[in-house]
Amino acid sequence: MRIDRVEATSIFDTRGRATVETTLFAHTFSATASVPSGKSTGEYEACELRDPDGGVTRAVANVNGEIARALTGQRFESLDALDAFLVSLDGTPDKSRLGANALLSVSIAAMRLSALLEGVPLWGAIAKRAGTTPAAPRLYVNVMNGGAHASFKLPFQEYILVISGETPSAFSMAQEMFTKLGERLGRVPMGDEGGYAPTFDTLERPFELLAELVKEFPNTSIAIDAAASQLFHDDTYRLLGKSYTPEELARLYKSLAARFPIDSIEDPYDENAHTDFTRLTAMIGEKILIIGDDLTVTNPTRIKEAARNKEINSVLIKPNQIGTVGEALQAVREVSAARLKTIASHRSGETEDTFIADFAYGVGAYGLKAGGFAQKERLLKYNRLVAIGDEAGTV
Ligand code: 2PG
Ligand code: MG
């Protein structure tokens, strides 16, 4: 593939913060990609380059300047070669010089452009590149926001409904459940990820509410993202004003998993609490998914390590945690090699880019976590998944 022109600009994400959008041109074709941004970011994520005032003018300038000069007119044998070139151009281990946001916008746009040039759907191009079998993921729909996404009104960051089955019917079931939950909650604020942001007096109440809903709908269950790095202070975890030691927290998770139809717990402990992860996975990992996010940060080396120590049995994959599509696909390969499950994920600050839906379908991910229905940017991802199902039936 030969890139004729590179153009970047800054757009606003769902939080009204600036983010990078890049368009690549080749022949008469062009492809655009924009990158999401996290709030409860992991300590070991690739570096999102921000100006001191929070803007992305330097990241955009890096794409329009140094990256554009290096790519324009260059012929790349493969997308892996292009991504490797971007990584070496940056030259830092955490992509802090040019910015992981700058690099990823180029990397996704290149993947999209190459699919266009080949005349294949994006998910198909991803599957071919990754050597994976495309398949529809389960939906992980965020219905209640807490933690850093809702000023800690609820202790855990995300309360999620997991819905399996054919995407169109799973999607409409999820919408019905979302609406019903809204009616039961009454007027409450909304959180960062397009889910409700209520307040409850007890830890159990949100689980009771969701369990009632799950009883009414087949093939559904509950997931949480504890995002526990955010709850960790002075060696203990603070939940609703009470402190829990790691052992007490393990007992709490075990009892929640015994009492409620729980599918998974993401980031149950702080990102550096490796042995606590291992103990919990040994305790309840046969029954539910223990998912690494801040722990593994889509980093192939960290995933390998966590798998070797049996810290988790599933991994969240977010391309912007690592900075290029090629490395995110390598991360998926590590997940599969360790026989763990992949859950592809959006970020809490999102754009209209639906790449993550094609990514989830293309790699045959176990799940796609794409937020709640109160924000168009989240809905677009689920809609794209439905459209992919149609495409897959016809190509
Ligand atoms: C998470 C994500 C996305 P953020 O923790 O899994 O839901 O949140 O993008 O803020 O890291
Ligand atoms: Mg998370």
Side-chain angles (χ1 to χ4, degrees), residues 171 175 372-373 375-383:
F171 188 22
Q175 278 177 314
F373 293 150
Q375 282 178 357
K376 185 182 83 182
E377 290 77 0
R378 321 282 167 188
L379 271 172
L380 287 172
K381 274 91 169 153
Y382 297 113
N383 277 327

Side-chain angles (χ1 to χ4, degrees), residues 53-301:
D53 68 358
V56 289
T57 48
R58 283 189 299 155
V60 168
N62 287 343
V63 180
N64 285 329
E66 191 172 336
I67 294 175
R69 277 196 300 278
L71 292 188
T72 308
Q74 272 249 44
R75 192 174 291 281
F76 290 95
E77 260 178 30
S78 66
L79 289 164
D80 284 342
L82 191 151
D83 281 347
F85 179 80
L86 290 173
V87 171
S88 69
L89 186 68
D90 171 79
T92 64
D94 61 355
K95 304 179 174 85
S96 52
R97 196 177 73 79
L98 296 171
N101 43 356
L103 300 187
L104 185 67
S105 70
V106 176
S107 179
I108 294 179
M111 179 88 235
R112 199 168 261 146
L113 184 59
S114 146
L116 262 180
L117 290 168
E118 282 181 33
V120 296
L122 181 54
W123 56 269
I126 291 169
K128 193 171 155 205
R129 180 174 178 190
T132 45
T133 310
R138 282 158 192 71
L139 305 184
Y140 281 66
V141 179
N142 182 324
V143 291
M144 288 190 277
N145 293 195
H149 296 166
S151 315
F152 290 90
K153 285 205 181 80
L154 295 178
F156 298 133
Q157 180 178 283
E158 296 163 35
Y159 298 75
I160 293 167
L161 288 170
V162 186
I163 300 145
S164 48
E166 295 281 314
T167 307
S169 55
F171 188 22
S172 38
M173 204 193 289
Q175 278 177 314
E176 209 183 315
M177 294 175 89
F178 191 77
T179 308
K180 276 203 167 178
L181 179 65
E183 286 161 6
R184 287 173 198 180
L185 290 171
R187 277 189 80 82
V188 292
M190 303 308 283
D192 280 16
E193 295 198 343
Y196 307 105
T199 318
F200 298 108
D201 296 338
T202 67
L203 275 174
E204 286 79 10
R205 191 60 198 137
F207 291 96
E208 286 164 2
L209 260 177
L210 295 181
E212 280 165 28
L213 260 183
V214 159
K215 230 190 247 163
E216 297 169 35
F217 293 84
N219 304 320
T220 61
S221 53
I222 303 168
I224 57 165
D225 180 1
S229 300
Q230 305 280 326
L231 307 169
F232 192 56
H233 310 283
D234 303 326
D235 293 333
T236 58
Y237 295 86
R238 294 287 293 175
L239 308 175
L240 286 186
K242 203 179 146 208
S243 289
Y244 292 76
T245 64
E247 293 78 11
E248 285 167 342
L249 197 54
R251 282 198 288 279
L252 172 71
Y253 290 137
K254 190 177 174 194
S255 101
L256 288 172
R259 291 173 55 199
F260 300 106
I262 290 184
D263 159 273
S264 52
I265 304 179
E266 180 184 328
D267 279 348
Y269 288 105
D270 178 71
E271 57 214 327
N272 293 307
H274 298 278
T275 52
D276 295 327
F277 268 93
T278 302
R279 189 186 43 219
L280 185 70
T281 299
M283 227 163 107
I284 54 174
E286 287 286 322
K287 191 164 184 269
I288 69 167
L289 303 186
I290 305 293
I291 306 173
D293 171 18
D294 291 353
L295 178 80
T296 36
V297 291
T298 314
N299 182 315
T301 312

